[in-house]
Amino acid sequence: MSELPPHDDDRPTDPADPTAAAFEEIVGAETDRDPDLAVIEAGSRTLRAQAGPPQGDIPARPTDPEVDKALREVETELAGRWGETKLEPSVSRIAALMDVLGEPQRAYPSIHITGTNGKTSTARMVEALFSAFELRTGRYTSPHVQSITERISLDGAPIEAERFVETYQDIKPYVEMVDARQEYRLSFFEVLTGMAYAAFADAPVDVAVVEVGMGGRWDATNVIDGSVAVLTPIDLDHTDRLGSTPGEIATEKSGIIKPGATVVMAQQPVDAAQVILKKAVEVDATVAREGLEFGVVARRVAVGGQLLTLRGLGGEYEEVFLPLHGEHQAHNASVALAAVEAFFGIGSQHARPLDIDTIRKAFASVTSPGRLEVVRRSPTVVLDAAHNPAGARAAAAAIGEAFDFSNLIGVVGASDGKDMRGLLEAFEPIFAEVVITQNTSHRAMGADELAAIAVEVFGDERVQVEPRLPDALEAAITLAEAEGEFAGGGVLVTGSVITVGEARLLLGRG
């Protein structure tokens, strides 16, 4: 990629311009950091600006009994494989499957997304942007909230159940062939990844938006050659598999960066940024960094979401409405925009910004089920899939900004192996009381075990235990209503994507 010529953004900014001043403040904050980064960046190239249709919601079960039966049979077969939490770090099995399928993942360009939090929301935003520019999209995300078919989307909507079954049946003989040759059978996630890549090639799609399952370097998705590698904020999660510091985790996640790719990097802890930039140097990748090459210039709360001014690789994008709550979603939007700009060559091949009306249309169409999603009123019930401390801190801040609760009740159900003390501590300041429960997954943390941690964080008087989720929801709604209809009561269901999905069904949104 050639060096960029001088451009308007290289000129001194007008101090009287509030937008320019705001962005300069972002730049100043970002550059006040570890000097070692300057050494790394000296060897890397960075992108500097030169100056869709609504997405489908979560599908219900098929209404046709025969289709529903066929889907359940596929779900049962997939469930008989290694689950997503049992891993043998290697891409050898998925590479073997791609080989016998004829390398379907190379039939289209891809954007590859990893990070600790924000991956799915960012993927949905990228998908909406591409759709608004009339590109046919395939999106692969995980885990699902309610239906396994959510994981594979075509044209902005989950794949139909019939097509999901057909795709599985099409690749099943090849899966069995690979199983017979490998030390371990393909896992649940590996088979689903193969299905997604095959479905995208069969569609065919113009571009695939692929979310990493866990880590990056040895994740099953990492057989694509993503021309754009996106790294959302990295924090501590899956520390038993990925590392105990952001830097160690970044080592795994930066494994998705391919030679010559463009790296779109959200704001990161210093040690994580060092690792990512070093990897970019090693593979001759180009880097665009939030807070330097792009960022959120301004944001204000609006009815149903927020109004943004984004600084992209191609210039300013003003008055962009995003129907999602929270500062973290604004940052996700800036990352998604930069990723799409990079895909179109903005900042490297040409300087013009994308069409502002198309950008506004795309962001206005974005949905992200289970991410600060309001599913009921009187009292207001909000669902958020936060499952680690960083996600909980973002959700807690967004709740305080977007809602006027005076009596917020938490419903928390978690999966084993998560830092639930950290999550509960993040929510403690905003929860008047918390109802501890558990979902129906075999991976669920027991309600009594979680309650013991909650008592240490909240005190005994603020903790109620209802092992069954329906009872927990009923108890929380009753507590929220205790101060009267107009007292500002609300309920936040959180702790796990599975808990949120089950609550969504119980509350009539599935």
Side-chain angles (χ1 to χ4, degrees):
M1 203 173 287
S2 60
E3 290 294 322
L4 300 179
H7 51 77
D8 291 344
D9 284 354
D10 289 329
R11 301 171 188 165
T13 56
D14 180 358
D17 180 357
T19 298
F23 195 73
E24 287 303 313
E25 183 178 348
I26 294 173
V27 172
E30 179 66 15
T31 52
D32 182 19
R33 53 186 176 161
D34 193 305
D36 287 345
L37 294 186
V39 176
I40 297 170
E41 289 169 0
S44 70
R45 295 167 299 168
T46 59
L47 276 177
R48 297 190 182 275
Q50 297 187 49
Q55 296 176 313
D57 206 315
I58 294 176
R61 296 296 309 186
T63 55
D64 185 324
E66 291 302 315
V67 175
D68 187 57
K69 178 183 177 182
L71 180 59
R72 290 185 187 279
E73 289 174 353
V74 172
E75 290 171 328
T76 299
E77 290 188 26
L78 288 171
R81 294 179 173 274
W82 270 8
E84 290 174 280
T85 58
K86 187 173 182 180
L87 305 169
E88 193 278 316
S90 168
V91 294
S92 61
R93 292 175 302 280
I94 187 69
L97 179 60
M98 293 297 99
D99 181 56
V100 297
L101 288 175
E103 304 290 347
Q105 81 282 15
R106 307 201 190 285
Y108 38 80
S110 302
I111 287 185
H112 207 177
I113 303 174
T114 191
T116 301
N117 291 304
K119 296 187 296 295
T120 297
S121 293
T122 301
R124 294 177 74 97
M125 293 178 195
V126 170
E127 175 188 52
L129 287 162
F130 279 136
S131 295
F133 283 101
E134 300 184 354
L135 293 183
R136 189 166 201 202
T137 59
R139 171 171 54 85
Y140 182 53
T141 54
S142 61
H144 57 274
V145 178
Q146 287 174 204
S147 170
I148 194 171
T149 60
E150 296 165 37
R151 295 181 179 231
I152 304 173
S153 288
L154 292 171
D155 297 321
I159 191 171
E160 294 181 354
E162 296 94 330
R163 192 164 189 172
F164 185 91
V165 172
E166 289 170 2
T167 302
Y168 176 76
Q169 296 298 342
D170 284 345
I171 75 165
K172 183 178 178 180
Y174 301 96
V175 168
E176 292 172 344
M177 186 187 307
V178 173
D179 283 343
R181 297 175 179 176
Q182 298 290 321
E183 182 179 2
Y184 304 105
R185 292 202 311 157
L186 288 154
S187 69
F188 168 89
F189 186 73
E190 288 168 333
V191 175
L192 274 175
T193 301
M195 289 173 61
Y197 291 163
F200 296 162
D202 186 58
V205 301
D206 297 314
V207 58
V209 184
V210 178
E211 175 188 336
V212 162
M214 184 186 297
R217 180 170 58 90
W218 41 257
D219 186 73
T221 62
N222 202 27
V223 289
I224 56 172
D225 293 322
S227 60
V228 178
V230 176
L231 289 102
T232 67
I234 292 172
D235 211 297
L236 301 183
D237 199 12
H238 302 295
T239 53
D240 55 330
R241 297 181 177 90
L242 302 180
S244 58
T245 67
E248 291 176 354
I249 294 172
T251 299
E252 295 296 335
K253 293 185 181 294
S254 63
I256 71 165
I257 301 173
K258 302 301 192 299
T262 300
V263 180
V264 175
M265 187 176 76
Q267 291 179 334
Q268 303 289 353
V270 169
D271 59 341
Q274 289 175 322
V275 169
I276 295 165
L277 292 169
K278 182 179 179 181
K279 176 67 174 182
V281 172
E282 291 172 353
V283 300
D284 196 28
T286 304
V287 180
R289 301 155 294 177
E290 184 184 6
L292 291 176
E293 284 73 43
F294 68 94
V296 179
V297 175
R299 57 180 293 270
R300 64 179 186 269
V301 177
V303 176
Q306 52 192 308
L307 201 62
L308 309 175
T309 297
L310 302 175
R311 176 67 173 265
L313 303 175
E316 301 285 348
Y317 299 84
E318 298 179 343
E319 300 294 307
V320 175
F321 176 67
L322 179 67
L324 301 176
H325 300 293
E327 183 178 4
H328 61 295
Q329 294 289 17
H331 287 287
N332 290 339
S334 73
V335 170
L337 175 60
V340 171
E341 287 182 307
F343 182 86
F344 286 135
I346 294 174
S348 59
Q349 299 172 24
H350 54 82
R352 63 183 182 275
L354 297 172
D355 179 70
I356 183 60
D357 290 333
T358 305
I359 295 298
R360 289 171 178 156
K361 173 186 174 183
F363 277 119
S365 76
V366 171
T367 63
S368 194
R371 277 77 180 177
L372 288 175
E373 179 187 18
V374 176
V375 293
R376 172 183 164 152
R377 299 286 186 181
S378 299
T380 299
V381 179
V382 182
L383 308 179
D384 192 82
H387 56 275
N388 55 48
R393 290 191 294 269
I399 285 283
E401 176 182 84
F403 301 91
D404 189 24
F405 293 129
S406 60
N407 182 39
L408 180 62
I409 310 301
V411 175
V412 181
S415 297
D416 266 330
K418 297 293 183 179
D419 179 6
M420 294 313 297
R421 179 179 297 278
L423 180 141
L424 291 170
E425 287 174 345
F427 283 125
E428 190 276 334
I430 68 167
F431 285 168
E433 298 180 62
V434 61
V435 181
I436 298 300
T437 189
Q438 66 187 70
N439 56 58
T440 61
S441 167
H442 67 280
R443 294 167 48 198
M445 178 181 286
D448 290 341
E449 180 184 356
L450 182 55
I453 301 172
V455 167
E456 293 177 2
V457 174
F458 288 84
D460 186 65
E461 292 183 356
R462 294 169 63 194
V463 177
Q464 182 172 332
V465 182
E466 296 290 350
R468 295 181 64 254
L469 183 56
D471 298 335
L473 291 171
E474 183 177 351
I477 289 170
T478 300
L479 288 169
E481 294 174 330
E483 295 184 16
E485 183 179 355
F486 304 105
V491 175
L492 175 63
V493 183
T494 189
S496 164
V497 174
I498 299 168
T499 302
V500 163
E502 292 182 0
R504 204 173 188 277
L505 277 170
L506 289 167
L507 293 165
R509 291 300 295 269

